[in-house]
Amino acid sequence: MAILNPRHEEGFFYLLAGIGGLVSAIGFAAALYMEHSGHVVTGMNNQIVWGLPHVIAIFLIIAASGVLNVASMGSVFGRVLYKPRAPLSGLLAIAMLSGGLFVIMLDLGRADRLIVAATHFNPTSVFGWNVILYPVFYALVGVYLWTMMERRMNPYSKAAGLATFVWRVVLTSGTGSIFAFLVARQAYGSALLAPMFIIMSFSWGLAVFLVVQTTMYAWNNMSLPPLIQKRMKNLLATFVAAVLYFTFMLHLVNAYFAKNIAFEYFILFDSEFASQFWIGQVLLGSLLPLVLLFSPSTRDKVLWVNVAALLVILGAYFQLYVFIIGGQAFPLEIFPGYDVKSSFMDGAVDHYSASLPEVLLAVGGLAIAFTMTTIGVRILHFLPQDDLAELEAASGITD
């Protein structure tokens, strides 16, 4: 039984789809404005060249990979509880990757030149790898969805799921490697970043999936079976703790090298980013969700589990903002061991404040993902259908 009568429910769907489409169009218009007016209308400068749109885009790309972990748990690892959720995770992966690439391509400018990058592949550039990584990801997820939703293709679902699982690990490693290979900046240039991005994708993707799944169940006046909520809640807590551990190790390893001590002190204690790191990323995005997910008074309540998931998403924003913007704000060490002074802010900490067009473009990417998900769920009926008998049989299985 639906919450709204069919006529009102249909009208509400068109309203949501219309709002999503409108916000997406505004984001596109903001990108055209920046393309026409130039770099000067953004909050970026010659030192901070990746702004808020990149923060949101990278979140969407990382979470798009991680949200497929739900499908992998069912198809590849045979977890019965996750199998009904596999199609929804595939839809979210395609929608979020589309939103992320929408922002990336428009924020970089000259999106029409993409054909040049596609036809002149540079294997020595990690950016060049993306020309292969993203299209193959789309193709594999599309085939994966086909094998899950077409009965006669079901026997190939596990093979398609395994290929998708391997490729999404490769894709996320490639995204992390973009920063891992940037040795010129103290914030980056670490081999830890590739595995760290993988575990971040697991955490953020699962958090997004939990929020979307709960919204779908509420829309249809249904409740998530307690066993499923418990398993997914425990899995999210594990991923959040793992991200926190990798964050600690990244800063510890950086601080071990004398050349990075100044940056670590800057980012952790002596900058505008310090409060965002400790309060936004660590407290709100990690510790508080862990408390909500483990506390006896909140761990079994759908509301608080979803609050924890939303906090994880909020923490992801702070983490990427500190990592991307803070990493660029600290001055480049062009000549190690020497002081550099000129009229071009050499050796000076820079500042960044996102302009309105940048905010609109970033929100436009989120709207793309929202609109695609809303329409896909409506047309293809991605609501997970759980078999209670299977759930009872799986009740003794541990994740």
Side-chain angles (χ1 to χ4, degrees):
M1 179 177 179
I3 295 176
L4 304 173
N5 66 52
R7 180 177 297 178
H8 290 168
E9 192 273 341
E10 182 177 6
F12 193 45
F13 159 73
Y14 284 118
L15 176 63
L16 290 178
I19 292 174
L22 177 61
V23 176
S24 302
I26 292 173
F28 182 72
L32 291 180
Y33 170 72
M34 289 187 287
E35 177 83 10
H36 175 74
S37 302
H39 210 240
V40 68
V41 300
T42 72
M44 298 179 289
N45 51 52
N46 287 331
Q47 182 165 325
I48 299 178
V49 297
W50 292 343
L52 179 64
H54 265 66
V55 171
I56 299 301
I58 291 174
F59 166 77
L60 287 170
I61 291 171
I62 294 174
S65 170
V67 77
L68 267 178
N69 192 53
V70 175
S72 299
M73 293 292 289
S75 299
V76 180
F77 300 104
R79 301 298 188 185
V80 175
L81 277 66
Y82 297 92
K83 286 184 178 179
R85 284 149 189 81
L88 177 59
S89 74
L91 170 66
L92 285 172
I94 290 177
M96 296 179 74
L97 183 63
S98 299
L101 294 181
F102 169 86
V103 176
I104 285 284
M105 294 306 304
L106 294 179
D107 186 52
L108 290 176
R110 294 303 303 270
D112 57 300
R113 303 288 289 174
L114 176 62
I115 190 65
V116 177
T119 55
H120 296 77
F121 176 64
N122 178 12
T124 64
S125 170
V126 67
F127 291 97
W129 302 350
N130 293 332
V131 177
I132 296 177
L133 294 177
Y134 296 137
V136 173
F137 182 83
Y138 274 116
L140 288 176
V141 176
V143 171
Y144 190 23
L145 284 172
W146 183 33
T147 62
M148 289 187 288
M149 302 184 71
E150 174 65 44
R151 187 179 298 273
R152 61 188 177 88
M153 298 299 295
N154 286 166
Y156 306 101
S157 181
K158 186 170 184 178
L162 180 60
T164 305
F165 173 77
V166 172
W167 195 258
R168 71 182 179 83
V169 171
V170 173
L171 184 146
T172 313
S173 299
T175 305
S177 297
I178 291 174
F179 298 96
F181 294 166
L182 288 177
V183 296
R185 294 189 182 271
Q186 288 91 328
Y188 315 135
S190 172
L192 284 173
L193 290 177
M196 182 176 176
F197 268 57
I198 291 174
I199 197 62
M200 288 191 309
S201 75
F202 289 173
S203 177
W204 302 348
L206 183 56
V208 170
F209 185 89
L210 281 170
V211 173
V212 174
Q213 177 181 244
T214 301
T215 303
M216 290 178 61
Y217 271 83
W219 180 287
N220 291 274
N221 199 25
M222 298 169 59
S223 58
L224 189 65
L227 177 62
I228 295 175
Q229 178 182 305
K230 179 181 177 182
R231 295 291 173 80
M232 300 188 80
K233 177 263 298 183
N234 290 342
L235 195 60
L236 178 62
T238 301
F239 292 151
V240 171
V243 172
L244 191 59
Y245 167 77
F246 268 93
T247 302
F248 171 77
M249 289 304 301
L250 178 65
H251 288 287
L252 181 64
V253 169
N254 263 353
Y256 181 80
F257 299 100
K259 66 184 182 68
N260 292 335
I261 291 178
F263 167 76
E264 287 298 320
Y265 183 78
F266 163 81
I267 206 72
L268 297 180
F269 305 108
D270 189 32
S271 69
E272 60 189 282
F273 305 101
S275 60
Q276 298 181 47
F277 174 82
W278 292 109
I279 298 176
Q281 179 182 340
V282 175
L283 179 60
L284 295 179
S286 299
L287 297 180
L288 186 53
L290 289 174
V291 170
L292 293 175
L293 294 172
F294 285 124
S295 174
S297 61
T298 57
R299 65 188 181 191
D300 297 324
K301 294 181 172 61
V302 175
L303 173 62
W304 289 113
V305 170
N306 280 274
V307 168
L310 288 171
L311 286 172
V312 170
I313 296 171
L314 178 64
Y317 164 77
F318 282 112
Q319 182 168 359
L320 286 175
Y321 194 92
V322 171
F323 180 72
I324 296 174
I325 307 299
Q328 296 175 90
F330 192 76
L332 282 168
E333 190 177 7
I334 302 176
F335 300 104
Y338 292 88
D339 291 330
V340 179
K341 294 182 179 180
S342 73
S343 60
F344 191 66
M345 293 186 66
D346 290 308
V349 172
D350 214 332
H351 299 279
Y352 168 81
S353 179
S355 66
L356 179 60
E358 289 180 288
V359 174
L360 293 177
L361 175 57
V363 174
L366 295 173
I368 288 283
F370 171 82
T371 306
M372 291 182 65
T373 302
T374 301
I375 295 175
V377 166
R378 171 76 178 190
I379 295 176
L380 299 177
H381 306 292
F382 279 94
L383 180 68
Q385 301 292 331
D386 295 298
D387 188 320
L388 296 180
E390 284 187 335
L391 291 180
E392 291 178 359
S395 60
I397 301 176
T398 58
D399 285 334

